[in-house]
Amino acid sequence: MTADLVLRHLEKRFPNGTVAVDGIDLEVGAGELVALLGPSGCGKTTTLRMVAGFEDPSAGTIELGGKRIDVLPPDRRGATMVFQGYALFPHLSVFENVGYGLRVRRVGGQALRDKVHAALELVGLEGLGDRRPQQLSGGQQQRVALARALILEPKLLLFDEPLSNLDAKLREQMRLEIRTLQQRVGITSLYVTHDQAEAMTLADRIAVMDRGRIAQLGTPREIYEEPADRLVAAFVGHANFTAGIIRGRRGDTLIVETLGASRPTSFAPGVYAEGDQVDVMIRPEEVHVVPAGADGAIAGTVVASSFLGGSALYQLLAGGVELQATVPMERGVPLQPAGAAVGLRVRDGAFRAFPAGSVPREGAARG
Amino acid sequence: MIAIRRDPAAAALALMVAAAIAFGLGYPLANVLGQAVLDDLGRFDVAPIVRIFSFPVPRAVVVNSLLMGVLAATMGTLLGFAFALTTARAVRGPHRSALHYIALLPLIAPPFALALSTIFLFGRQGLLTRGLFHWETDPYGLTGLLFVQTITFFPVAYLIFDALVRQLDPALEEAALNLGASRGRILRTVVIPLLRPGFAAAFLIIFVESLADLANPLLIGGDFNVLASSAYLAIIGEFDTRKAVAYSVVLMLPSLLAYFAQRIWVGESSVVTVTGKPSGGRAQRLGASFRVGLLVVTGTVAVLVLLLYLTVLAGAFTKLLGIDNTVTLDNFKFVLGGIGTRAMTDTTFLSAVAAPIAALLGLATAYLVVRTKVPGRTVFDYVVMLGAAAPGIVLGLGILLAFNHRPFLLSGTAVIFIIAFVIRTAPVSLRTTVAALLQIDPSLEQASANLGAGAATTFRRITLPLVRRAVLSGAIFSFTRNMTTLSTIALLVTPNWRIMTSQILNEIDAQRLGSGAAYSTILIVIVLAAVITLNRVFGKAPIEVGA
């Protein structure tokens, strides 16, 4: 895959001294969708706005299709954006909103009408051209914003948390629609979100950002299964952490003593030596709840349990460590009540070690 | 945040606005100040000015002015608050609308109308006082002046409180009620404290307006001389420029102090009362006895306002109201047969030419302040606002002094009036447009840039249509204010251009009260007709801005 959008050591310092983006490098391949994911204040939106030209980088360059665009004004960059609040022009009709960019480029008459109609059809809004944006539902407004950005056949499509104003159901539906449309049109995209499920569904690759830097860049699966540090682990999905001590090394796994036994453990980048303290992560779905006293099971107690429909969520206590477990539910199988003694089993490959206290816990990121 | 700083157009715009303000406002005010601190030979010397205030009469004038300003501001503020409380909490439906519009009526009154009808009703030959009750009264002096100024200026306070009361979150009052507070206690401990910025703003604005008022002190002030009227009389009666300048400078000080205190102090704190989205719930009604008391006060004033307006009409259509009540059209014949027709066309023409210019100057400044990164852009805001903060008589004096000698010899021309009107009314356009621009989410303009539009295209296609109503209302306000102002133009009139308010003053001076009333009626009709027509033609349904 050839790199289409290239950010080189991009940096943004505000006059008050805040470093919003702290020198990031990122390559987005042609037709690829990369999501910038992170908590608020991590620099993802500032990065996107620098690409769009609404913020000037303090240092670094931005290239698109082999040409530097950071030197161009925002109206010449060929990168259209879907805004967070859609930013539909309230005094213009849907048709005029979608056709705005073409009108600016002096396209008129039949050519304009054809293209606008094609764009409206693409997003499933045929026949609504005469409406005002205010007369449309949130999902429809979202589609207008999409059509308005796509009609210019841009080299790059930018998304600034486009789904954050929609309710949960519609959000899930729009995620799939955007993904389908983006792949059909085959357009290079940069997508900012703080919603990890959204990033997982939509993105070819995710860049998890933390305090102005890219903490990890990888496919959704890599990010989830092999998080590079504790923050990424905690931000993408839920992560249980427990303490462990390194007892040895076998090939590319560590042997870590945790939860009362020595266990083969994958590990995040870092320096490890025998006898070191490490933090060990276990995903909730890897914690299996079995009857108390089952062979080889870790002894635990249920602190709280709740029924979620297809699965159950347990808060458990095992050897002084709090663990969360999601367990598939079958019809008729009772939920273990609070206070019940249970056994816990975790698959050998499900442990992942991090240098102890290597990264501050989630929520420590600047606002 | 949009990167217009790459656009040299912003710098050019800043230069143009700066030049316009320097010419129309800075230069005239500099002329006033120059006369104040330089002697006849152009040397720095404040002794002549200081000497003027060593005499008892000018000192009394200063004391009178401050007394009048404080009293009028207090009464106007309280009355405005009473009206706002009544329309918000004590009446509903058609009564509410009626009271609302009656409270706004005095805003469109030409400066003499209320004073004139006060003389008709309560004067020495007053219809009510002498005619009905056979009282010997004398409205001329502080009492009559305060009465007229309170009626004239309370709508300003009403508008401020009305906006604030609407923004009060009913949930706060419900919470207080829920915690066991009585209705009176809620008013005292929740509502009034939250409106405190409104009280400060209303008081300061009315104080400034009262000091700057020229028409009422001239007409009904009698021997009670204030700074504005004294400055006027110094020029018109004594041809004493230095004296006029002395009064003007002293008049400027409290006006500007009060004005900027209001901008800096109230302007910021008033944001605190805006609690965002109303959280539902119903505003609490008032206690029964309190409500009745409130209705008596506001009802009486509302009737009085209507009565005053009807009296202008009655005065216009009778020989001499109170003495000879024969219905006649003579007053109109006299006015329209004389120079009245020319005054009508001249005033309307000048006002109409100045209005769009004022609106554009306001728009240009607002755009500079809100949407560009031109350094020192907030200074533009404050300097343009000076045009409204400076008392009209001072501005008029400055323009008189500045443009009656080279290099800008303009006295007697239309230009001089247009400058005065534009500088005087651009600030309102600036405020309405700034408010409208701040309402527009910057992402709309960014979206336009993102879709390939340059700054100029974005302005024309997105920004301008969205602030159109604000610009239009700025222009309409400018027009009405131009038509009805006296203080700004009182010193500028020459036989070349006839101004209606100045003609009214002449009629009343000559004791032709009926013609004065006829003139005032015509003026009100022109203003109302223009406002209604302009709203019909340009004012389509307002656009909801923002997501």
Side-chain angles (χ1 to χ4, degrees), chain A residues 49 54-56 72-75 79-81 83 85 87-91 100-101 103-105 134 148 152, chain B residues 1 3 5-6 443-444 446-454 457-458 461-462 465-466 543-547:
Chain A
R49 291 172 62 82
F54 302 138
E55 304 278 359
D56 287 332
L72 299 175
D75 47 316
T80 56
M81 180 151 155
F83 286 79
L88 299 180
F89 306 126
H91 59 302
Y100 184 85
R103 289 283 300 275
V104 167
R105 287 167 177 74
Q134 304 90 299
R148 187 177 71 175
L152 295 176
Chain B
M1 293 296 264
R5 74 199 97 103
R6 291 206 184 88
S443 71
L444 288 179
Q446 286 166 0
S448 173
N450 181 254
L451 295 167
T457 310
T458 299
R461 295 214 178 186
I462 304 299
L466 289 175
I543 291 162
E544 294 288 330
V545 176

Side-chain angles (χ1 to χ4, degrees), chain B residues 437-449:
Chain B
L437 278 176
L438 289 174
Q439 288 277 308
I440 301 177
D441 191 327
S443 71
L444 288 179
E445 283 155 331
Q446 286 166 0
S448 173

